[in-house]
Structure formats: C-alpha cells, structure tokens
Amino acid sequence: MGSRTVVAELPAELVAELTELLGERFSVSESILDLHGRDESCFAPIRPWAVVFPESTADVQAIVEASARHDIPIVPFGAGSSLEGHVLPIHGGVSVDLTRMNRIRAIHPGDLDVVIEAGVTRLQLERALGEHGLFFPVDPGADATLGGMVATGASGTTTVRYGAMRENVLALEVVLADGSVIRTGTRARKSSAGYDLTRLFIASEGTLGVITEITLRVHGIPEAISSAVCSFADIESAVEAAVEVIQWGIPVARIELLDEVQIEAVNRHSGLDHPVQPTLFFEFHGSPRGVEEDAEATAKISAEHGGLAFRWATDEGERRKLWKARHEAYFADLGLRPGARVISTDVCVPISRLAECIVETKKEASRASFPAPLVGHVGDGNFHLLLVIDPTSETELEEAQALNRSIVERALEMGGTCTGEHGIGIGKQKWMALEHGSAIGVMWAIKQALDPKGLMNPGKVLPP
Amino acid sequence: MGSRTVVAELPAELVAELTELLGERFSVSESILDLHGRDESCFAPIRPWAVVFPESTADVQAIVEASARHDIPIVPFGAGSSLEGHVLPIHGGVSVDLTRMNRIRAIHPGDLDVVIEAGVTRLQLERALGEHGLFFPVDPGADATLGGMVATGASGTTTVRYGAMRENVLALEVVLADGSVIRTGTRARKSSAGYDLTRLFIASEGTLGVITEITLRVHGIPEAISSAVCSFADIESAVEAAVEVIQWGIPVARIELLDEVQIEAVNRHSGLDHPVQPTLFFEFHGSPRGVEEDAEATAKISAEHGGLAFRWATDEGERRKLWKARHEAYFADLGLRPGARVISTDVCVPISRLAECIVETKKEASRASFPAPLVGHVGDGNFHLLLVIDPTSETELEEAQALNRSIVERALEMGGTCTGEHGIGIGKQKWMALEHGSAIGVMWAIKQALDPKGLMNPGKVLPP
C-alpha cells in the first residue's frame, strides 16, 4: 500500500488494473484529460484523473466494478456537448468516454426501431437510418451521442410532433454502480410490466448507472414535407399565433420562434434577408394534401395575428435554405462578439403563459449589457434566451446568472420547469427544491438505493 | 393492549383513530368489504379488514400515516376493474376507496391539460372535457378511475396515435408510505429536471404510494373523424395489412382487429351482419382532406392484402354503429356461455412478429375446450385472446392458465412483454423475472427505498 497515488488521486492498484484491462485505452495524457474536463457550459474546466475508452459493455462493467472497489467516481462522457456541466468530474474520478461504443447493432425497419450502442452520434444515426427511409426525430443542436441524449432527457425542434427522448426510447442496457448489467424494457411498443426503469434512467445524467445500449423508436420519412416562414409585428403576436396552431390541434412537425435580435444575427451571419422581426418557422409532415391543408390552416391563423409574408417551400433545397436561419442561430450568436460564449437559458411553461413569459423575458433582455437573442420551441412552451457574454468578464457572468435566475423563477411561478431539455448538471441544482419540493427526498432515496457509495457521476442532478 | 383486534386483524387503536377521522366513511360492513375484495380477474375474492372513503388528500395522508404506525397494509381501490388482482388485499389491511375524490379541479383548454382527483372516472372525464371540445384518448374497456388507469399503466384503442397513460400524464400528487405528500412534475409539456418520478408511479399499482391527483394532457376533438371496416380472408392478411399501415406511417387513430370468432359473437349479441371473417376497424382523425387521404391510402393497402368491402362512415351515428361491434366485444363474449367469465391474455410484441404470434396463438386457441375470441390493438402489437371459461370448472381454469402461459412465453421469446396494458397484479408476477432478468433487483431496491415497511399494496407487481 506504499505507492498508492501514481496518477493524480487514482490508487496505483486501480491504474494497474485498468491498464491491464484496456492497454492504451486507459489514458492520463494531458490533452486527453483536458478534453474530458470541459463541456459547452460556462463552468470552469476540471480534469478527470484518467480517461478510459471502453469498446464493449463488458469493458464498462469491468471499469465500473474496479473503480467501485477503490471508491473512485465514474463520469460517463459522450460528445462533451452538455450545457450544464453534466460531464465535469467535480469530485474527481475516471471519465468513461463511450464514443468507441458506436456500433449500430440492428435496424428493424419493419418494427420502426433501432438498437445502438450509447456512443453513436445523432448525425451518424441519421445517415444510417436514411438508407432505410427512416429518421430519428430528436435533434438537439449539437451532434451529441445518443447515450448523452438519453442521459440528459434531450428534445428538439420536432418534439411538438414526435415527442422528446422520453417518448422515443423503448429500452436501455445499463451498467449499475456495482458493475452488474440490466436491461430495461423490450422492443414491444408499450408495456405495463413493472416499474418503468427506462424512463427512470432518462435524464438521470449518469447518476444511477452508465447507459451502454439503447433501443429507439424511429419513424418513416414522411411522404410530403413542407416548410414556411412568417414574420410578425411583435413577439406577442408571433407567440399567440404559435399557441393557437397548437390549440387547434394542427399536427405541425416543427414550430420555432426567432426574435428580431436573433433574425438580425442570422441575416448578418448567413447573408440572409429576413425582415428583422419576430419570425415563426414551420414544418409540416404527412401526405401531400394533408400537409397542404395543415399549412393553409396555419397561414390563416398567422394572418389573423398580423403575420406578414407567409413564405413556403416544399422542395428540399428550398426548405434547407429556409431553415438555415434557424440551424445557424447559435453560430450566428457566437459571431456577434469576438471571443464570446453563449449561456443558454431553458425554461418551459404551460403554453397559455408563454406569450406573457416571453414578453417579460424580453423586457429584461433589452436591459442586458450584452446581446441576448431568443429562440423557442414554442409549440412545447420551451424557449432559450441566448446570453452572448464575454467569458473573461466576471460582471457579465454575474449579470447573466442573475438574468437566468429571474427567468427560471418566473417560469416556476407560472407552473413551468427550470429546464425543458438541457438538464440539471451542476448549473440548475439550486432550483430543484423550488421546482420539486419534497419530491427531492424520493429522488435521493432512489439515488442511494441504486448507488449507495455515491460514485456514479457524483454531485450532479440532486442538490446536496 | 388487551383488546387489540376488534375488526378482523385491525388493532382497536387504529379502528378508533380512523373512526374519529372519517366517521361513517370508515366501514366494516359485510357488503362493503365484499365489494372491495374482488376485481375483474379470476382470482378468488379476499376481503379487506376495513374500507375507508377519503374525500381529500389530507384524509389519505392521515389514513396512510395511521395505518403505517400500526404496520397495517394499504390497498388503493378505484372502480375495481383491474384484471390481474391488483386491488385484492392478499396480505389484509385497509382498502382505500378513492371514488369520493372525484372532483375535476381545473380544465385548461388553452394548455390542453386538466387537473383531476384520482377517483374521477373515464366517462365522467369524457363528459366534462366534451363541453370544451376536448377529449382524453386513453380508453380501457371499463369505466375505470383515472387513478387506477395511472397505477395500471393503461392504454387502449387510440394508443397507436395518442400514446398510453405514460405519454399523457404530466404530473401526479402522491401520498407516500410515511404519509407525506409529493408532487411529481409540472404543467410544462416537457422537462429534464431530475428523475422522472411521474413515470415511476405509472404502472406501480399502488406499491410505491397512493396517487391522489393527476394532471393529464388532453386533446382537441379532431375537426374530421372517419371510420372504416374491412374484412379479410384470413387473419394473417388482416394483421399484415394493419402492420403495413403502421409501417407506411399513416397516422391512423385506431386500428383494431377482431377475429372471426369474435365477429360471430358480436353479430349474435348485437344483431349485426358483419361477414364472419377476420376484420379490421379503422378510425382516422384530422382535417377533412387529410382524413380522406389517410383512409384512401389505408383502403389501398387493405385491398393489396385481399381486404374485402372497405366500408366507410364519417357521420357520427354511422361511426358509432360501425364501432358497436368492437365496443361490445367483451359483453358479446360473456354471452357466449351462461355464467361464463372472461380471462384476458395481454401480450404485446414487435409488430414485425405480430402476424406470426397471432397465427400461432389462434392455432392453440382452436384446440381449446372453450370459446376464445381474439381482439387486438394491432397497431401497437398488442392483442387479447379472451378465454371464455366456466369459473366453476377447475380444469377449464387450468387449461386457460396453460394457454396464457404459452402465449406469454411466445411473446417474450419474440422480444415482447407479458402485459401491454393490464399490468402485473398477482397474475403475472411469475413472468417478471423472465421478462426483466436482474432488473427486478433494481425494482426491489426502489420498492424498499420508498416503502421500507412493505405496507403499500404488498404482494403486487414484484415477485417475492
């Protein structure tokens, strides 16, 4: 026991075990530690003590089991695109990089499902499914791993029609804190057989186990797709039009809001010429006539709210051009200030309160000392104010945090949630008690039951 | 401590406490005990020691807290329509009848959600929502309470389009084993804020707590609805047509299969004249042209599988007449034999295996010594063989159980589940290990964490 610490805080015995198991797939190289010590949040980077690259569930089991024996924390890592510090090893430990577990195990076009390893990325999956005329609808901005998307409880622009990860995961394989492996769920579309462990692991952020395999529902690429863009005199009218489309039950596939600040940014970034006004982007999926009818009904509602210039595209190239503004919003915002970072707020409220919530948020945003464009998955009641700050400025960071706090508190007061799709990580723990009250105790009881030593991504999701 | 047992096994102190709390809403009357000692399963009735009728969450808290202090089990009771013995107090205790908690607390048409007490029934909710042009899609056969539907993880004929309870519950209020109360979730459409406790309680069958309030997603009654019926030469063709409709992504709202045995029964029961052949019942929801197009595409697929006489109805009266056969299936089956009982199987398999699964099931059914019609929510891969047995015949009961076992084992082998929508209760515990493997250990860990004394509906869901 003399030479315990060879690598940072890792006991020499564990280093020896992991090296024997993984060879060069156990790494303590500076650059690799750096890469696994950060995500897309604004939290200070913090290096793991080592990084491992499993290639199989058995590898993950061995890593978790060995680490547990030495009481060393485990932090799963995918694309590193989390926005609230999910993957930062704040209590040290081993970062488990799952990106080499990126095999697509089976595509079942007849069942509209697919079985993949957790390290498969969104765009990789899109390409593989496309060959079968299929697609997976959940589309966070980043090319995240599907494991990360499950762990975060991600959603995206099509959630209004197809649901979030919660509605599109059929089953999971998970390595538990003791190194044992379980399967949750089957490939059946529905089941009432016992507790819903699949949903329990969705949005658990690696705190209950390491997700290694995922069975997803997928969808046929629709026969007809059409897109439309419509601008409005003010943001309230835009939101009210969007909400009315939902209330009428029009099965819109996407309904995205960009405010005038965001439109100006994308116009500049991408050389577009959208009127600098609050703008809704729509997409309709279905049969040719159904899509036409949905779009017509939407155009009518938009016009009633003063919508101007309802522009259309059915051709794929045209559609892509139309959606360019939406897809490049984040990069356009980064381009607003050299060296800037974007902090994204992420509240979601009942849609009847959305207009009020967005109007009040924009009032605050207009007083900010940095640009703060707004984009929203308004069909779900979810929107992001993108705070484009100078990361070296302590005062801007504080101002951004105060703004975020105010937005979260307003959303909770309106019966909403502090995070629609980005998750809790370390960034939003401070609002868990306000949102969940004593239900936090139940979450802690589950955490302790499944991870009694507290080694699975410790310090995340649940407030101390 | 001399006079401990006044009422069956209930300690006198608890009887006194509950009587003081509830007055005549604490009952040990013979008829009331009888009514709360049975459900729609074939399991032998077993009386609770007492029945209580809470009228508020505070009542439920007090009942649970007092019972826990005396180590007395709690069994929640709704409409008594469970099919696997969910509500039978097999370890004794107090039956908590929630039917007096039947207030509709708020309907939010603008948000498409509703807040109700757990004892509200399906038809009561349908009436209340109808006044606002809204409907709740999950429709088990019985007029169950919504609390029971949550606890069972129910689904129904429209699940293929609108999802099961899992997809339509936004939030719950639950009284935990220690009498404390939590709220899971908010009225926001989606959230990534912590562990998904809402889904954890869905299908937990009262074993983790008593559900007292429910926030549901509801939907606008569609602008256009049309129904159609189509018969097929053989059941394989009918199933294959149904599966192809799903695979093509036609957004059918209902797609129900009745086999020729079932058709004959409903013809006789309801004076109908459907061709005695395997038959699909369809319903389409949407815009007038969209619905027309969906129905045309479905008719085309049906014709390709030899479907005969694709009959249509758009008028409400006509539609009701068309669906009469489906809605009365259960009663028609009961009418097949005087004094009969129906045992329903409930497997769900990946849809590519459905035709094979149903064909093999029907081969077995044809050898049964009792009638065994088949109905199926075939769009989800879920079907029921309805075993119409003489409940006084031990041999028929044994034969029915053997048939059920064979069907479940085939479904599990095909990657399916032992129950699509009826739940586990006491009837299906024997297959939990086969379906879930070591994941049962995680379910037990959660059960013990939330109900350490094992008093919440003990003996249900989890195998010992």
Side-chain angles (χ1 to χ4, degrees):
Chain A
M1 299 292 278
S3 63
R4 271 194 69 83
T5 47
V6 171
V7 177
E9 315 277 334
L10 276 195
E13 300 89 331
L14 180 56
V15 172
E17 284 172 55
L18 293 176
T19 305
E20 195 189 329
L21 177 72
L22 300 165
E24 63 184 18
R25 293 185 287 117
F26 170 88
S27 176
V28 291
S29 106
E30 300 278 310
S31 60
I32 285 178
L33 296 182
D34 277 347
L35 278 172
H36 292 79
R38 59 180 56 156
D39 64 1
E40 293 296 323
S41 71
C42 62
F43 300 109
I46 178 164
R47 283 180 173 179
W49 297 338
V51 179
V52 292
F53 296 89
E55 290 178 349
S56 67
T57 300
D59 280 350
V60 175
Q61 289 188 266
I63 292 161
V64 169
E65 189 275 322
S67 302
R69 229 182 316 108
H70 295 277
D71 294 331
I72 296 297
I74 284 289
V75 183
F77 193 97
S81 54
S82 56
L83 292 167
E84 295 291 351
H86 302 50
V87 299
L88 303 185
I90 55 173
H91 293 290
V94 176
S95 179
V96 182
D97 183 315
L98 289 143
T99 54
R100 296 195 192 179
M101 289 185 65
N102 64 350
R103 281 165 288 247
I104 290 173
R105 290 195 174 150
I107 297 178
H108 303 113
D111 291 310
L112 297 170
D113 70 46
V114 58
V115 185
I116 59 173
E117 292 180 340
V120 167
T121 70
R122 189 169 71 74
L123 295 175
Q124 179 193 355
L125 180 63
E126 185 176 300
R127 283 188 299 271
L129 292 176
E131 291 172 23
H132 298 268
L134 301 171
F135 78 107
F136 181 69
V138 186
D139 63 343
D143 186 22
T145 63
L146 270 297
M149 289 165 63
V150 173
T152 301
S155 56
T157 63
T158 65
T159 298
V160 63
R161 168 72 170 267
Y162 297 96
M165 290 308 284
R166 190 155 286 156
E167 285 79 28
N168 286 285
V169 177
L170 289 170
L172 297 171
E173 180 189 80
V174 183
V175 174
L176 299 176
D178 63 358
S180 66
V181 63
I182 60 164
R183 301 193 68 86
T184 73
T186 71
R187 286 179 51 238
R189 281 296 183 94
K190 62 180 196 182
S191 174
S192 301
Y195 305 158
D196 187 347
L197 300 183
T198 303
R199 249 55 54 175
L200 182 63
F201 284 98
I202 295 174
S204 69
E205 301 183 6
T207 61
L208 300 177
V210 182
I211 295 160
T212 47
E213 188 191 275
I214 307 161
T215 305
L216 294 171
R217 277 186 76 160
V218 297
H219 301 263
I221 294 173
E223 192 190 351
I225 301 180
S226 91
S227 298
V229 171
C230 187
S231 41
F232 293 81
D234 55 72
I235 197 135
E236 199 166 0
S237 306
V239 177
E240 281 169 0
V243 166
E244 200 172 322
V245 167
I246 300 303
Q247 289 169 342
W248 274 97
I250 298 169
V252 63
R254 290 186 157 116
I255 182 165
E256 295 282 306
L257 171 71
L258 275 67
D259 77 349
E260 69 287 356
V261 187
Q262 184 63 68
I263 289 287
E264 189 170 15
V266 293
N267 276 352
R268 207 189 306 175
H269 178 78
S270 308
L272 298 169
D273 60 352
H274 288 284
V276 180
Q277 288 184 317
T279 303
L280 289 175
F281 288 71
F282 299 98
E283 194 164 275
F284 307 94
H285 293 178
S287 62
R289 270 186 288 166
V291 155
E292 205 182 305
E293 205 164 31
D294 293 338
E296 276 166 20
T298 302
K300 192 160 165 280
I301 291 170
S302 296
E304 284 165 9
H305 291 272
L308 309 158
F310 195 82
R311 271 174 301 158
W312 279 87
T314 47
D315 167 76
E316 190 178 345
E318 281 296 305
R319 281 193 286 111
R320 277 186 195 279
K321 227 167 105 185
L322 214 59
W323 277 94
K324 194 176 163 72
R326 173 64 188 92
H327 291 316
E328 299 190 349
Y330 180 79
F331 301 101
D333 295 343
L334 280 177
L336 288 173
R337 297 175 79 184
R341 264 200 101 110
V342 169
I343 296 179
S344 177
T345 74
D346 179 38
V347 297
C348 185
V349 297
I351 57 172
S352 69
R353 308 298 299 273
L354 184 62
E356 181 190 352
C357 190
I358 285 183
V359 166
E360 290 187 26
T361 298
K362 277 191 60 72
K363 260 187 228 157
E364 285 186 311
S366 70
R367 293 191 294 266
S369 58
F370 40 75
L374 186 147
V375 300
H377 311 308
V378 281
D380 307 312
N382 182 208
F383 68 89
H384 311 299
L385 193 69
L386 300 159
L387 315 177
V388 187
I389 63 160
D390 170 0
T392 65
S393 161
E394 202 54 50
T395 53
E396 286 197 15
L397 202 61
E398 274 169 30
E399 188 186 337
Q401 282 163 346
L403 189 49
N404 191 20
R405 180 178 314 118
S406 166
I407 292 169
V408 167
E409 287 170 3
R410 180 181 305 116
L412 294 180
E413 220 168 86
M414 289 181 169
T417 176
C418 69
T419 171
E421 56 184 13
H422 294 170
I424 297 295
I426 52 176
K428 286 194 165 154
Q429 289 176 23
K430 49 186 166 294
W431 294 299
M432 284 288 279
L434 194 55
E435 180 163 337
H436 294 291
S438 56
I440 297 282
V442 176
M443 295 188 197
W444 264 118
I446 292 169
K447 167 73 175 173
Q448 277 156 352
L450 269 64
D451 179 24
K453 294 168 96 176
L455 297 175
M456 306 308 279
N457 203 5
K460 308 298 164 60
V461 183
L462 299 175
Chain B
M1 299 293 278
S3 62
R4 271 194 71 83
T5 49
V6 173
V7 178
E9 315 276 335
L10 276 196
E13 299 90 331
L14 180 56
V15 172
E17 283 174 52
L18 293 177
T19 305
E20 194 189 329
L21 177 71
L22 301 165
E24 62 183 17
R25 292 185 288 118
F26 171 87
S27 174
V28 291
S29 108
E30 300 279 308
S31 62
I32 286 178
L33 295 182
D34 277 348
L35 278 171
H36 292 80
R38 58 181 56 155
D39 65 0
E40 293 296 322
S41 72
C42 61
F43 300 109
I46 178 164
R47 283 181 174 178
W49 298 337
V51 179
V52 291
F53 296 89
E55 290 179 349
S56 68
T57 300
D59 281 350
V60 175
Q61 289 188 266
I63 291 160
V64 170
E65 190 275 324
S67 303
R69 231 183 313 109
H70 295 277
D71 293 331
I72 296 297
I74 283 290
V75 183
F77 193 97
S81 53
S82 57
L83 292 166
E84 294 292 350
H86 302 51
V87 297
L88 303 185
I90 56 174
H91 294 290
V94 176
S95 179
V96 181
D97 183 315
L98 290 142
T99 54
R100 296 195 193 179
M101 289 184 65
N102 65 350
R103 281 166 288 248
I104 291 174
R105 289 197 176 149
I107 298 178
H108 302 113
D111 291 310
L112 297 170
D113 69 46
V114 58
V115 184
I116 58 172
E117 291 181 341
V120 167
T121 71
R122 189 170 70 73
L123 296 176
Q124 179 193 355
L125 181 63
E126 186 175 301
R127 282 189 299 272
L129 292 176
E131 292 172 23
H132 298 269
L134 302 170
F135 78 107
F136 181 69
V138 185
D139 63 342
D143 186 21
T145 62
L146 270 296
M149 288 164 65
V150 173
T152 302
S155 56
T157 62
T158 65
T159 298
V160 63
R161 168 72 171 267
Y162 296 95
M165 290 308 283
R166 191 155 285 158
E167 285 79 28
N168 287 284
V169 178
L170 288 171
L172 297 171
E173 180 191 78
V174 183
V175 173
L176 300 176
D178 63 359
S180 65
V181 62
I182 60 164
R183 300 194 68 87
T184 74
T186 71
R187 287 178 51 237
R189 282 294 184 96
K190 61 179 195 182
S191 174
S192 301
Y195 304 159
D196 187 348
L197 300 183
T198 304
R199 251 52 58 175
L200 182 64
F201 284 97
I202 294 174
S204 70
E205 301 183 7
T207 61
L208 301 177
V210 182
I211 295 159
T212 46
E213 188 191 275
I214 307 161
T215 305
L216 295 170
R217 275 185 78 158
V218 298
H219 301 263
I221 294 173
E223 192 191 353
I225 302 180
S226 92
S227 297
V229 170
C230 187
S231 42
F232 292 82
D234 55 72
I235 197 135
E236 200 166 359
S237 306
V239 177
E240 282 170 357
V243 167
E244 201 172 321
V245 167
I246 300 302
Q247 288 169 343
W248 274 97
I250 298 169
V252 63
R254 291 184 157 116
I255 181 164
E256 295 282 306
L257 171 71
L258 276 67
D259 78 349
E260 68 287 356
V261 186
Q262 184 63 68
I263 290 286
E264 191 171 11
V266 292
N267 276 352
R268 210 191 303 177
H269 178 78
S270 308
L272 298 169
D273 61 350
H274 288 284
V276 179
Q277 287 185 318
T279 303
L280 289 176
F281 289 69
F282 298 98
E283 194 165 275
F284 306 94
H285 293 179
S287 63
R289 271 186 289 166
V291 155
E292 205 183 304
E293 205 164 33
D294 293 337
E296 275 166 19
T298 301
K300 192 161 166 281
I301 291 170
S302 296
E304 284 165 11
H305 291 273
L308 309 158
F310 195 83
R311 272 175 300 159
W312 279 88
T314 47
D315 167 77
E316 190 176 348
E318 280 296 305
R319 281 193 285 113
R320 277 186 195 278
K321 226 167 105 185
L322 213 61
W323 277 95
K324 194 177 163 72
R326 173 64 188 92
H327 290 317
E328 299 192 347
Y330 180 80
F331 301 101
D333 295 343
L334 280 177
L336 286 173
R337 297 175 78 185
R341 263 199 100 112
V342 170
I343 296 179
S344 176
T345 73
D346 179 39
V347 298
C348 184
V349 297
I351 58 172
S352 68
R353 307 298 299 274
L354 185 63
E356 181 190 354
C357 190
I358 285 183
V359 166
E360 290 186 27
T361 298
K362 277 191 61 74
K363 260 188 225 155
E364 284 186 311
S366 69
R367 292 192 295 265
S369 58
F370 42 74
L374 186 146
V375 300
H377 311 308
V378 283
D380 307 312
N382 182 210
F383 67 90
H384 311 299
L385 194 67
L386 299 159
L387 314 176
V388 186
I389 63 160
D390 170 0
T392 66
S393 161
E394 202 54 51
T395 54
E396 285 197 15
L397 202 60
E398 273 170 28
E399 188 185 337
Q401 281 163 346
L403 188 50
N404 191 20
R405 181 177 313 117
S406 165
I407 291 169
V408 167
E409 286 170 3
R410 180 182 306 115
L412 293 180
E413 221 168 83
M414 289 181 169
T417 177
C418 69
T419 172
E421 56 185 14
H422 294 171
I424 297 296
I426 53 177
K428 286 195 165 154
Q429 289 177 22
K430 48 186 166 296
W431 294 300
M432 284 289 280
L434 195 56
E435 179 164 336
H436 294 291
S438 56
I440 297 282
V442 175
M443 295 187 198
W444 263 118
I446 292 169
K447 167 74 174 171
Q448 279 156 351
L450 269 63
D451 178 25
K453 294 167 98 176
L455 297 175
M456 305 308 280
N457 204 2
K460 308 299 164 59
V461 184
L462 300 175

